[in-house]
Amino acid sequence: MNVTSSEISLLNIVIGFVYFIGISSSGNVRNQSVRQRSNIRQLISLHQPLCPVEVNNHTDDVECTKCNLLQLSKPRPKYPLTFIKPNKIGHVEEIQLVEGKTHRRKTLALDPPVYEIPNFLTSEETDIIKGIAENKQLSQSTLFGDGQGTRKSESAWISIRKLNKSITRLSERYEKLTEQSSWYINHAEKMQIVKYETGGYYYTHHDSGPYHLPVHNLPCCNQVKYCTTNLEQCCQLCRLMTVMVYLNDVEEGGETAFPIADTNTETLHEYLSDVNNRNLTTNCYKSSLLVSPKTGTAVMWYNHEVDEMTGLMGNLILRSYHGGCNVLKGVKWIINLWIWFHA
Ligand code: OGA
Ligand code: FE2
């Protein structure tokens, strides 16, 4: 992996700051493209000193034109990405993840594709993972993207390589579940173990992104081999998919919310632009999809599309917007695996 967690955190903090400026300056401007343009101007002024960017006036795309020594990997992937297409909500696919066992992968949503897989880990395995995290000592979770107060949890990071020593063939299980090449599993980010105490939560967000910034033309950070300026001038965080496993049953609350999964288009951008919608303390139970934590159950979803022709990562799936509702009683533990795109 070319980007460390602390670099990503820094990237997120800066992006969050830029986003905050963009939002607060955009006021009540109704026209989306006018607002986007004004965000672009803000972005340019912030980026200018370190890395000049250019705006394509036809598409509003921003291009980082002079990231000195920025080198990208080959554009064609050695291992094309897989995208498991959902066909119907409620559909159950029987899959073989562990020898002698059958697992069930149930479709919970189509946009984004969300799947639920009960018993992905056994309760003994979830206990092992919680024990490892407690021994490593958890620290306050770094904020993803924006400002104080959007997340109340603690976390620890561990490589899948290390976890494989305690949990039999774990990598293989993720590989079979996601149907991605083992290369992606073994080159994923470190896995994140998260603990929410009673009262813990995580406001709605995209795991990859961020949507709010017009930086879609920047390459993914994990493609950037070398960049003389700060990382955030050259790239953005691109996580193709998330596999989240609950490590315990939560007594009350702590659902994973996808507030706009499978909702209609008219209100989408308005919804995403309103920061008040992110607060799951007030909005959790208005969500179009809620998943209840259950020991060992995995929830897997796509944050990006995949281009079928090239096997490359495509656009951010806007409705992958999700978060963790308040834990009302008891604690909640999860473990996340994020699969990155590598060329
Ligand atoms: C995350 C996340 C949701 C949850 O860790 O990125 O979105 O239910 N978690 O805790
Ligand atoms: Fe998330």
Side-chain angles (χ1 to χ4, degrees), residues 8 12 15-16 19 111-112 114 141-153 155 157 189 192 194 196 200-213 237 239-244 246 254-261 268 271-281 283-284 287 289 299 301-304 316-326 332 334-338:
I8 293 166
N12 286 326
I15 285 174
Y19 163 50
D111 182 14
V114 182
S141 302
T142 40
L143 295 163
F144 186 102
D146 23 12
Q148 296 290 320
T150 57
R151 185 174 193 184
K152 197 172 167 198
S153 62
S155 42
W157 297 84
E189 278 175 81
Q192 188 192 35
V194 184
Y196 301 88
Y201 58 83
Y202 193 173
Y203 281 10
T204 321
H205 60 276
H206 288 111
D207 280 354
S208 186
Y211 154 77
H212 297 280
L213 277 179
L237 183 67
R239 287 165 168 163
L240 172 70
M241 59 195 305
T242 305
V243 187
M244 189 185 81
Y246 300 112
E255 297 88 347
T256 304
F258 291 83
I260 51 171
L268 179 66
Y271 186 93
L272 289 169
S273 308
D274 186 349
V275 284
N276 295 319
N277 288 329
R278 301 191 55 209
N279 183 343
L280 284 173
T281 309
N283 293 313
C284 169
S287 302
L289 174 63
V299 186
W301 67 88
Y302 289 88
N303 303 304
H304 286 262
L316 180 68
I317 300 176
L318 297 177
R319 288 187 187 78
S320 67
Y321 211 45
H322 66 279
C325 298
N326 287 40
K332 171 183 168 189
I334 55 167
I335 182 164
N336 287 319
L337 175 74
W338 285 294

